[in-house]
Structures are given as structure tokens and as C-alpha cells.
Amino acid sequence: VFMLAIYIANYFFSRAHFHDPYPAFMFLMWSSQIALLFANDHFKGYRFKDFAPALAFLDAPKSQGSLRWYVLFNFSTLRMISYNYDFYEACHMGDSQREKTEARHANCLECVRHNAPCYKKRTDSPRPAQEFNFVNYIAYLLYVPLYIAGPMTSFNSFISHTHQHQRWFSFKKDVPAYA
């Protein structure tokens, strides 16, 4: 519950401050995220009884141990920073950055060979601003393989993978190359 509340607050933070100048946006984003990390660590997460004593029964652990969500939340903080940065970039530098990426990848052998944008091009080029919606944001933050074990990936990279189908590999041709 607390993580979802923090996710929602961050989403609206990015929407409320994306018109700010770049240095102000970055300062607000980084300082709020660092303060959040320190608060999570200091309080060892949050308890319902701190917000409303009548909700103290929700704090009782259901089993021998309790999930320390605030430890796993550190990776979510990095993902929220990535989302905020990519969203700001898409809103302010999106068109010029896409043009630079197109120029850099005009003769990319991997793009030509597969007749599709390579991984580097998909992650360097900002996604369209309309893809920075709440559903994609929550999917990015809560995608289980990334949430539990990583790797850290940017929002642009994550969303590009939802649009780019997995290339099929030939067992006979590709497996020996990796072996």
C-alpha cells in the first residue's frame, strides 16, 4: 500500500514539474528521491498506526517474518528516477534527440541486417510523450523480473521491448555461437 502511494505521488510529481527548467526539475527530483530513501530507512518502512491508530491491526505480521518492502524499494527509486528523466527528455528534447539518434544509426549494420531498430537505437531515442502514461509507468515499476533481480533498465528501454518483438533464433545457427 505504501509503495503504491509513493509510486502515485512520483507519477504526479513528474506531471506537475515537467515544465520546470532542467536544473530545477533535476534538483527537485533527486532531492525528493534521496529524502524518500532516508525516510524509508530511518523509519524501517511505514506503519499504518502512524497514520491512523485505528489501522494498527494492519501492522500485525501474518507470519513469523514480515516483508521488508523498503529494502526492495531502493531499486524502485532508481526506476522512478529513470522514468522522470526519460519523461522530461521526451517532453523537452524528444524531437531533436530522435533526429540525432536517426542520424547516428543511418548506417547501423544491425538495424539494416534485421530491418528493425537495434537495441541501442531503441533505447537512445526518446519514446513519444503519450507512452509515458500511468499504465506503462506501473508496469515498468512492478514488472516482476526487473523488480526482484534487475537488471536496471531505463523506461525507454523497457517500453521499447514491449513494442519490439523478440527476434527468433535458429537453434542450429545461434546456440553453437553462444556455446
Side-chain angles (χ1 to χ4, degrees), residues 32-72:
S32 65
Q33 296 296 336
I34 290 170
L36 181 62
L37 285 175
F38 279 117
N40 287 346
D41 187 57
H42 177 73
F43 294 112
K44 305 286 187 240
Y46 305 102
R47 291 168 187 77
F48 286 100
K49 69 178 181 181
D50 296 335
F51 296 99
L55 299 175
F57 71 94
L58 294 172
D59 292 329
K62 304 282 188 243
S63 64
Q64 293 288 354
S66 61
L67 178 64
R68 297 182 328 160
W69 65 266
Y70 58 91
V71 175
L72 291 173

Side-chain angles (χ1 to χ4, degrees), residues 47-154:
R47 291 168 187 77
F48 286 100
K49 69 178 181 181
D50 296 335
F51 296 99
L55 299 175
F57 71 94
L58 294 172
D59 292 329
K62 304 282 188 243
S63 64
Q64 293 288 354
S66 61
L67 178 64
R68 297 182 328 160
W69 65 266
Y70 58 91
V71 175
L72 291 173
F73 186 75
N74 295 343
F75 287 112
S76 294
T77 302
L78 293 174
R79 284 186 199 87
M80 289 189 297
I81 291 170
S82 171
Y83 174 84
N84 289 342
Y85 178 78
D86 289 347
F87 178 62
Y88 190 90
E89 182 182 55
C91 292
H92 292 277
M93 302 170 270
D95 293 335
S96 64
Q97 187 68 23
R98 275 189 282 279
E99 290 171 8
K100 289 178 187 175
T101 303
E102 286 293 330
R104 273 196 310 262
H105 287 270
N107 297 319
C108 175
L109 294 176
E110 189 176 345
C111 294
V112 172
R113 186 175 63 186
H114 296 291
N115 197 24
C118 67
Y119 174 77
K120 186 78 172 150
K121 180 178 179 181
R122 289 184 286 133
T123 57
D124 284 351
S125 182
R127 304 301 304 172
Q130 64 268 22
E131 289 187 9
F132 289 83
N133 58 45
F134 188 71
V135 172
N136 287 343
Y137 171 71
I138 293 296
Y140 172 58
L141 291 174
L142 297 179
Y143 182 59
V144 175
L146 295 178
Y147 183 77
I148 293 174
M152 276 307 303
T153 183
S154 70

